Amino acid sequence: MTNFRDRLNALLLDVEKPARYTGGEFNTPNMNKPVKANFCFCFPDIYEIGMSNLGLQILYDIVNKHPDYRAERCYAPWVDMADVMRKADLPLLSLETATPLRDFDVIGFSVQFELLYTNVLYMLDLAGIPFWSKDRDESFPLVIAGGPCAVNPEPFADFFDAIVIGEGEEADLAILELVAEGKEKHWTKQEVLARAKAIDGVYVPSMFEKGESVKKAVILDFENASYPEHPLVPNINIIHDRATLELYRGCASGCRFCQAGFYYRPIRERSAKRVCELGRAILDSTGFDEISLCSLSTGDYTGLSDLIDEMTPYINEHIVNLSLPSLRLNSFDSKFAQSSRRSSLTFAPEAGTQRLRNVINKNISDKDIENIGEAFRVGYDSVKLYFMIGLPTETDEDLAGIAEICKTLRELYISIRHKKFINISVSCAVFIPKPSTPFQWEPQIDIPEMLRKQSYLRGLLRNIKGVNFSWHGAESSRLEGAFARGDRKLAKVIERAYKSGCRFDSWSEHFKWDLWQKSFEQEGLTMDEYVNGVPVEQDLPWDFINTGVDKSYFVKERENAYKGITTKSCRESCNGCGANKLGRCTIC
Amino acid sequence: MLVLKYEKTGATRFISHIDILHHFSRIMRRANISVEFSNGFNPHMLIYFSPPLALGVGSVAEYVTTEAKNITAEEFISRFNVAAPDGLQASAVFELEKDPKLQGIVVCADYILPFSLDGIELGEHYTITYSKKGEEVTEDVGDKIFGIWEKNGQTFIRVASGNNNLRVDRVANQIAKDFNKELVIPKILKVAQYVKIENELIEVDEYLRGKNKNWDGKR
Ligand code: SF4
């Protein structure tokens, strides 16, 4: 037998950051237990990003806790590593036991983002596994996918044997159970998949019949759901190099552009007591010196105040930093700001005027923005602001509003602190209409318009001292838009693009716009047809997925958007979106 | 002050010195060993290492010095080893009055090279060529090689370390090229470090033991 570990080690000094590829992280579960089936979690981006992903950590932990199964990991090797692996004829290996991916029973991709689709093929290619489900015989593992992009799995459906829609905690184990039984009883892949279809949330593209629907998988008992208390401690500095606590799933705010906010409904909160217990256990077992609270709108968490009070003694004793990401303006409170030792505050007004914020249902008022003064009072000198351009009904006046906010903040800072050295960084994404939102029918603005808006805004911001402006690439936003609402025809485009040299599309230095355009053309398609507006009556590629939220609710929300009517937070009362058909919302 | 002797083997060979620093601070936290912190806005643990090891090279003779509070040497090493990953386990601990500042006083180190000594002859002005930041550098390192010999069928080399450093991977590469040996860098292993006292080389364990009372905490 070839010793893959030795062959791998012989290559590692020829690449950047070799510790990306060695495994051996502290808290690695026992890899020697005898198991009935094994699973390799594949993340189509590099170690530093993949290791930071909470969803994957949760699933990895659940599979390894089970006495009968083992899970390993594989992240996309950076391009330098792929080169030396190809030269040495070394296939893609799991980190833990250096086992080739093709020798696993199941390999599962976590698809987080539209611009990672070519990286799925890149990893399959390096693993020596055919791209198309139909081309893989019994000698290959079951290849499955999950993650946020499964909200519209059609562009990549034909690559996979099965796709988990929604939360994977229970579905992954149920699939492994079938695979283990299938191994014992010598079932074919088809026989396994035919049974897998019955599992909540499991979509089998090759066996799907018109008129069927797939119900999103939802964890009902979120309070007691398994959570990694001994997460892996990364070998090298990663993007989120800290302990992470998940406070709740779903979001009560109902921002109309936000896919995650609707897709992860019903809203389920975990008690502050349990979150605090988890926090202590994770800090004890990892030695992290920072802990972050992670949820879509952390500031809205019912137990936030209790949690901070309860964690504070531990945090002070052990010199741990508590960081609070994605604080919404209207949930700002200096108590929270003070308990975080950060020097920069992050806010996401998303739009520059009250009018447009009403359209998108971002419940932040001008008064909330003035509240940032509290942060200046407790010592903050720098603010990060997130906006979107190209939102439905947006005019130049709304863009000018962004500059107005910056001016207001600067004046506020000067009046409170009597000095002028405030740092305001403004980051602008391009609005991308996403499935499972009230804006799923909207057109995306075209590239010349994106560039015009960006340069208009840049011009306005240039005149304000202390403001830094950054924006997302117009072309990559276009591509993301096309894939977000894509259909099965796009799989061939992805294959073409990969074969012509596209991978790591989310890394601007690797993004190859011309090759993407060519790939669409060669398949007789254009990106435009996927980013244009869609009539509400028209069938959508993801209509077969039952996310709980009714289509009629999205239609109503869209109408309200155009009228500038806002919808109150679900924390005040249920708005009747329908998600509670799949499980109770614990906040109302 | 406690000086811990530890290994850097297996996967940890590929972790850079900067990241290792991070690992130690996390190990101390997991072991619940309170170590002195620096003052300032972002306090960090005060720990001091022996000269850093080239990436990929293994070692069973690395040292780290800390001021740990309320803990005996014996407890220190046993808690450390529970909290440390495979490949960063400690083999001994020494108790000293003050920081021996190993980074500054170590002068050379012994390594085992993963090939036989047959046919190898290094002249007084042995010259190596390597690339540094994309540029090719040629250097006479004769005075930085203190010896090469065989013992129990293994090849040992002693090279300068510390302030006047010679990277063992670079010499080993040159030797492998000049004498047609097969070399995989991760199979090189550092086995001892030395300080110089009154013109005499003293192995670091001896040095730490000799001047101070010590407890040998072999696992
Ligand atoms: S069911 Fe009601 S409370 Fe739950 S997410 Fe929908 S609107 Fe909000």
Side-chain angles (χ1 to χ4, degrees):
Chain A
M1 219 185 94
T2 0
N3 186 333
F4 286 106
R5 175 74 68 196
D6 279 351
R7 286 177 59 194
L8 175 75
N9 283 349
L11 305 181
L12 289 180
L13 291 178
D14 295 332
V15 299
E16 212 183 281
K17 303 193 185 173
R20 284 170 174 164
Y21 310 106
T22 58
E25 290 89 351
F26 189 76
N27 281 338
T28 299
N30 174 15
M31 289 290 140
N32 297 320
K33 72 181 182 196
V35 293
K36 292 184 181 157
N38 57 30
F39 191 121
C40 188
F41 283 103
C42 298
F43 193 91
D45 210 329
I46 58 169
Y47 182 87
E48 291 91 319
I49 297 176
M51 276 289 282
S52 303
N53 185 271
L54 177 61
L56 207 68
Q57 287 175 33
I58 293 174
L59 297 174
Y60 177 79
D61 179 65
I62 284 184
V63 174
N64 280 312
K65 267 183 193 154
H66 196 287
D68 293 336
Y69 315 125
R70 184 179 76 229
E72 304 193 31
R73 291 162 299 140
C74 181
Y75 305 102
W78 188 238
V79 290
D80 61 346
M81 186 62 184
D83 284 346
V84 295
M85 285 170 66
R86 285 196 174 107
K87 260 188 222 133
D89 205 16
L90 186 71
L92 193 56
L93 306 172
S94 66
L95 291 186
E96 285 81 353
T97 64
T99 302
L101 260 49
R102 58 170 181 257
D103 294 343
F104 278 85
D105 295 315
V106 186
I107 67 175
F109 283 85
S110 166
V111 195
Q112 298 286 323
F113 179 34
E114 288 82 355
L115 296 183
L116 296 176
Y117 291 170
T118 51
N119 266 26
V120 171
L121 302 191
Y122 169 75
M123 290 179 79
L124 288 173
D125 195 10
L126 287 166
I129 297 174
F131 300 159
W132 302 90
S133 167
K134 63 176 170 45
D135 295 339
R136 292 188 295 260
D137 61 23
E138 298 294 327
S139 69
F140 290 102
L142 206 68
V143 182
I144 68 175
C149 286
V151 65
N152 174 20
E154 290 308 86
F156 53 86
D158 288 329
F159 299 136
F160 293 102
D161 303 322
I163 295 168
V164 176
I165 317 267
E167 297 165 351
E169 283 103 326
E170 283 159 6
D172 280 1
L173 285 181
I175 290 173
L176 275 167
E177 196 181 322
L178 277 179
V179 169
E181 193 181 347
K183 276 169 82 175
E184 220 178 277
K185 299 183 177 160
H186 304 289
W187 291 342
T188 62
K189 247 189 230 177
Q190 294 302 306
E191 287 170 303
V192 171
L193 289 172
R195 289 172 173 87
K197 243 186 110 165
I199 301 168
D200 256 3
V202 174
Y203 169 45
V204 179
S206 63
M207 295 180 177
F208 186 74
E209 313 227 343
K210 234 185 144 70
E212 285 180 335
S213 87
V214 178
K215 194 171 82 179
K216 179 183 80 180
V218 170
I219 298 303
L220 295 180
D221 185 4
F222 181 67
E223 170 74 7
N224 299 304
S226 178
Y227 196 82
E229 291 176 42
H230 301 86
L232 298 177
V233 181
N235 284 338
I236 55 174
N237 221 333
I238 62 168
I239 306 286
H240 295 294
D241 211 353
R242 58 186 85 100
T244 308
L245 291 173
E246 192 187 22
L247 306 177
Y248 65 93
R249 291 206 182 146
C251 184
S253 309
C255 299
R256 291 174 178 135
F257 56 84
C258 179
Q259 184 176 58
F262 291 101
Y263 187 49
Y264 292 107
R265 288 179 174 193
I267 303 160
R268 289 146 294 156
E269 282 198 344
R270 198 167 260 150
S271 67
K273 185 168 162 280
R274 167 121 162 102
V275 172
C276 189
E277 280 165 16
L278 290 171
R280 282 200 208 107
I282 294 168
L283 290 170
D284 284 345
S285 75
T286 59
F288 285 128
D289 59 3
E290 187 176 349
I291 191 158
S292 72
L293 307 177
C294 157
S295 279
L296 289 169
S297 180
T298 299
D300 286 346
Y301 172 57
T302 317
L304 190 56
S305 192
D306 289 348
L307 177 63
I308 290 175
D309 287 346
E310 213 164 308
M311 286 296 286
T312 302
Y314 183 98
I315 281 171
N316 291 342
E317 189 193 336
H318 293 86
I319 320 186
V320 172
N321 184 15
L322 173 70
S323 68
L324 304 166
S326 72
L327 266 192
R328 282 164 44 107
L329 285 172
N330 56 356
S331 57
F332 184 77
D333 183 318
S334 57
K335 169 180 172 186
F336 304 147
Q338 241 160 351
S339 57
S340 158
R341 277 190 287 120
R342 277 234 183 131
S343 58
S344 162
L345 271 183
T346 299
F347 288 124
E350 308 292 358
T353 58
Q354 188 67 55
R355 184 201 69 80
L356 189 53
R357 285 197 296 272
N358 289 349
V359 170
I360 63 175
N361 203 43
K362 188 84 194 182
N363 291 330
I364 285 175
S365 66
D366 291 340
K367 230 174 116 208
D368 292 321
I369 293 169
E370 278 158 29
N371 258 346
I372 295 184
E374 290 303 317
F376 297 151
R377 237 163 244 132
V378 300
Y380 285 86
D381 296 309
S382 128
V383 186
K384 277 189 195 140
L385 299 170
Y386 289 89
F387 294 97
M388 258 187 254
I389 60 167
L391 287 162
T393 79
E394 181 183 275
T395 64
D396 284 357
E397 211 173 296
D398 299 304
L399 298 179
I402 296 176
E404 287 308 311
I405 291 177
C406 294
K407 273 188 211 147
T408 309
L409 287 179
R410 194 178 134 79
E411 278 156 26
L412 199 63
Y413 180 83
I414 293 171
S415 76
I416 290 173
R417 298 286 293 277
H418 308 293
K419 49 180 192 178
K420 293 183 174 172
F421 308 110
I422 184 175
N423 238 313
I424 303 175
S425 88
V426 174
S427 171
C428 268
V430 176
F431 165 67
I432 293 165
K434 294 251 167 153
S436 184
T437 68
F439 289 157
Q440 61 182 354
W441 299 278
E442 293 302 315
Q444 186 187 39
I445 54 170
D446 60 20
I447 291 178
E449 182 64 0
M450 291 179 201
L451 298 176
R452 190 197 67 78
K453 284 181 191 261
Q454 282 169 353
S455 86
Y456 173 68
L457 185 55
R458 193 167 54 234
L460 296 177
L461 294 176
R462 198 177 285 144
N463 300 326
I464 310 169
K465 277 216 182 79
V467 175
N468 245 310
F469 180 47
S470 64
W471 58 91
H472 283 200
E475 286 95 358
S476 59
S477 301
R478 192 67 166 176
L479 184 65
E480 190 184 335
F483 279 128
R485 295 188 293 177
D487 55 21
R488 281 206 192 182
K489 284 183 282 189
L490 291 186
K492 285 218 168 113
V493 177
I494 299 169
E495 187 192 27
R496 251 184 213 283
Y498 172 70
K499 285 190 167 162
S500 64
C502 295
R503 73 261 183 282
F504 286 106
D505 298 298
S506 56
W507 296 73
S508 56
E509 72 263 39
H510 286 296
F511 182 66
K512 301 188 182 82
W513 177 238
D514 50 328
L515 296 182
W516 274 109
Q517 280 175 304
K518 238 182 249 158
S519 304
F520 270 84
E521 250 166 59
Q522 284 165 342
E523 285 303 317
L525 300 167
T526 63
M527 271 179 237
D528 291 352
E529 62 196 274
Y530 291 98
V531 294
N532 287 339
V534 184
V536 172
E537 313 74 54
Q538 193 174 305
D539 288 342
L540 300 166
W542 54 95
D543 274 347
F544 71 94
I545 292 174
N546 173 6
T547 67
V549 182
D550 303 319
K551 204 169 177 180
S552 58
Y553 182 76
F554 287 144
V555 175
K556 197 177 89 200
E557 276 295 289
R558 181 177 189 247
E559 283 163 5
N560 286 340
Y562 278 102
K563 291 185 203 142
I565 299 173
T566 59
T567 298
K568 286 212 171 91
S569 163
C570 297
R571 285 173 196 279
E572 289 179 32
S573 67
C574 173
N575 292 300
C577 79
N580 53 2
K581 290 194 298 283
L582 301 188
R584 198 172 74 86
C585 285
T586 58
I587 57 159
C588 57
Chain B
M1 282 293 195
L2 292 174
V3 183
L4 200 66
K5 181 184 190 186
Y6 67 96
E7 61 176 347
K8 191 168 182 258
T9 60
T12 65
R13 280 172 297 180
F14 299 102
I15 299 176
S16 70
H17 188 66
I18 294 206
D19 286 317
I20 284 288
L21 217 108
H22 243 98
H23 280 260
F24 270 89
S25 113
R26 287 175 181 167
I27 293 168
M28 299 300 180
R29 283 172 173 278
R30 294 197 289 265
N32 208 1
I33 296 171
S34 3
V35 174
E36 247 176 49
F37 273 75
S38 68
N39 295 319
F41 189 69
N42 264 318
H44 57 271
M45 261 175 208
L46 294 173
I47 42 181
Y48 311 97
F49 289 90
S50 53
L53 195 63
L55 194 67
V57 175
S59 173
V60 290
E62 296 300 295
Y63 299 87
V64 64
T65 307
T66 71
E67 180 75 272
K69 291 172 220 154
N70 311 325
I71 190 166
T72 65
E74 196 162 7
E75 221 181 312
F76 184 92
I77 191 169
S78 74
R79 279 210 247 160
F80 179 92
N81 279 338
V82 171
D86 290 348
L88 276 186
Q89 294 285 312
S91 58
V93 63
F94 307 88
E95 224 178 318
L96 278 84
E97 295 290 307
K98 59 183 207 296
D99 178 11
K101 301 210 162 79
L102 288 173
Q103 180 126 18
I105 62 168
V106 162
V107 290
C108 63
D110 288 350
Y111 296 85
I112 297 176
L113 297 178
F115 44 67
S116 78
L117 194 57
D118 292 350
I120 296 178
E121 194 76 60
L122 309 181
E124 216 171 290
H125 291 283
Y126 190 63
T127 302
I128 66 170
T129 304
Y130 55 90
S131 83
K132 192 177 179 181
K133 289 178 187 144
E135 270 183 53
E136 197 149 279
V137 181
T138 300
E139 191 185 343
D140 174 352
V141 292
D143 60 342
K144 291 187 185 176
I145 300 175
F146 294 18
I148 183 164
W149 68 95
E150 195 196 85
K151 194 178 153 194
N152 303 331
Q154 284 178 311
T155 304
F156 288 76
I157 192 167
R158 182 171 298 171
V159 298
S161 172
N163 292 333
N164 178 29
N165 190 55
L166 174 60
R167 265 178 55 180
V168 68
D169 51 330
R170 289 179 178 156
V171 201
N173 260 329
Q174 190 68 47
I175 297 174
K177 217 161 83 196
D178 291 348
F179 303 97
N180 214 359
K181 305 280 181 186
E182 211 174 296
L183 171 67
V184 183
I185 300 281
K187 290 194 174 156
I188 301 174
L189 187 69
K190 188 198 267 187
V191 290
Q193 302 194 39
Y194 298 86
V195 297
K196 202 171 203 172
I197 306 281
E198 289 163 3
N199 250 341
E200 202 187 324
L201 288 183
I202 301 174
E203 200 263 327
V204 167
D205 284 7
E206 292 295 310
Y207 173 71
L208 296 174
R209 208 172 269 144
K211 287 183 27 184
N212 307 277
K213 76 177 166 79
N214 84 91
W215 173 82
D216 185 357
K218 291 258 183 312
R219 282 175 88 208

